[in-house]
Amino acid sequence: SSDSKQVTQTTASVPGQTPVASDVPGAVTPAPGTALPAPGLPAATPTTKLPTAPKLPAATPTPTATAPVTVAPATGTPKTTTPTTTVKPKTTTTTPTTGVPSATSAKILLDTDAATTYNPYSLPPGGFGDPAKAIDGDGQTTWTYQLDSSTSGKTLVGLAINLKSKQTVRSITIATPSPGMTVEFYGATGSELPVSITDPGWAHLATRTAITGQTTVKLRSAAKGLHYLLVWITHAPSGVTTGTLGVSELSVSS
């Protein structure tokens, strides 16, 4: 046993000699076929796990200063929205012009005693017929006037119509058995018959020369509010100095 200690010590003291693992106390003999560590390198040290760094909170973005925005108040008159209304176009019917007034004339009803002989110069009453025959609706009856041969066909007589109330008269229709005579038409607004043909109470409404057997005469706009109408015969037909003149029928329209 003393020899073996010497051998061991002797062996360990030889410089440059690598000791055998079996000769080193406490050494583990590797299994056959296992590679030995390279001489001079220290044994591998197990890796020490470093502690995990704590997570830092996410950085809060610094708010960016925003300049205040000034909103200018609206100026001017606010617009008013008007609802759209659909307007249907009007249909216009054009009536051809015929020269006839569109308004329909209406006859004025006359009383049976509305007609009188107008004799302002006091001619003999025997030269006149019955004035009611001029408004009786019978064309065969006639109001007549006997011509004076000394006047050479000139006459100073007429037929007056009392309307009994103020009326607007637009036309007079006259039928005569003596066509060709000259007739003037007058109107009066007063309640009394003017005393003469030159009385300012008469308003001249129309004149017709050489009238036909039946004539409708349109009156002037002055024929408003009339109480009386007058058919004033001024001349007999040309060349006639004797005989009779007359009005067989007369009507008035508003």
Side-chain angles (χ1 to χ4, degrees), residues 16-242:
Q17 183 178 1
T18 301
V20 179
S22 60
D23 295 334
V24 181
V28 179
T29 303
T34 302
L36 294 177
L41 294 177
T45 303
T47 303
T48 302
K49 186 176 182 181
L50 296 177
T52 304
K55 290 185 178 180
L56 295 178
T60 304
T62 303
T64 303
T66 304
V69 179
T70 303
V71 179
T75 58
T77 304
K79 294 183 179 180
T80 303
T81 303
T82 304
T84 304
T85 304
T86 303
V87 179
K88 293 183 179 180
K90 294 183 178 180
T91 303
T92 305
T93 303
T94 305
T95 304
T97 304
T98 58
V100 179
S102 57
T104 303
S105 298
K107 283 189 176 182
I108 297 175
L109 183 63
L110 302 175
D111 288 346
T112 55
D113 62 347
T116 57
T117 298
Y118 187 64
N119 183 19
Y121 298 102
S122 301
L123 299 176
F128 303 103
D130 182 3
K133 292 181 179 180
I135 58 172
D136 60 1
D138 185 356
Q140 302 301 316
T141 60
T142 303
W143 167 80
T144 58
Y145 162 67
Q146 185 67 45
L147 284 170
D148 183 352
S149 59
S150 63
T151 63
S152 301
K154 186 177 180 179
T155 64
L156 297 170
V157 68
L159 183 67
I161 304 296
N162 185 354
L163 298 173
K164 303 297 180 73
S165 64
K166 290 187 176 182
Q167 305 273 358
T168 296
V169 182
R170 290 185 172 85
S171 63
I172 296 178
T173 300
I174 180 172
T176 177
S178 47
M181 61 184 183
T182 300
V183 181
E184 294 179 353
F185 299 88
Y186 292 87
T189 59
S191 57
E192 298 293 332
L193 194 63
V195 296
S196 69
I197 193 61
T198 57
D199 191 306
W202 286 121
H204 184 262
L205 303 177
T207 297
R208 291 293 183 272
T209 59
I211 63 171
T212 61
Q214 181 167 320
T215 302
T216 297
V217 180
K218 292 183 180 179
L219 305 180
R220 294 179 181 175
S221 58
K224 294 180 180 179
L226 299 182
H227 203 105
Y228 286 95
L229 289 173
L230 176 64
V231 178
W232 181 249
I233 302 172
T234 61
H235 290 85
S238 178
V240 177
T241 58
T242 60

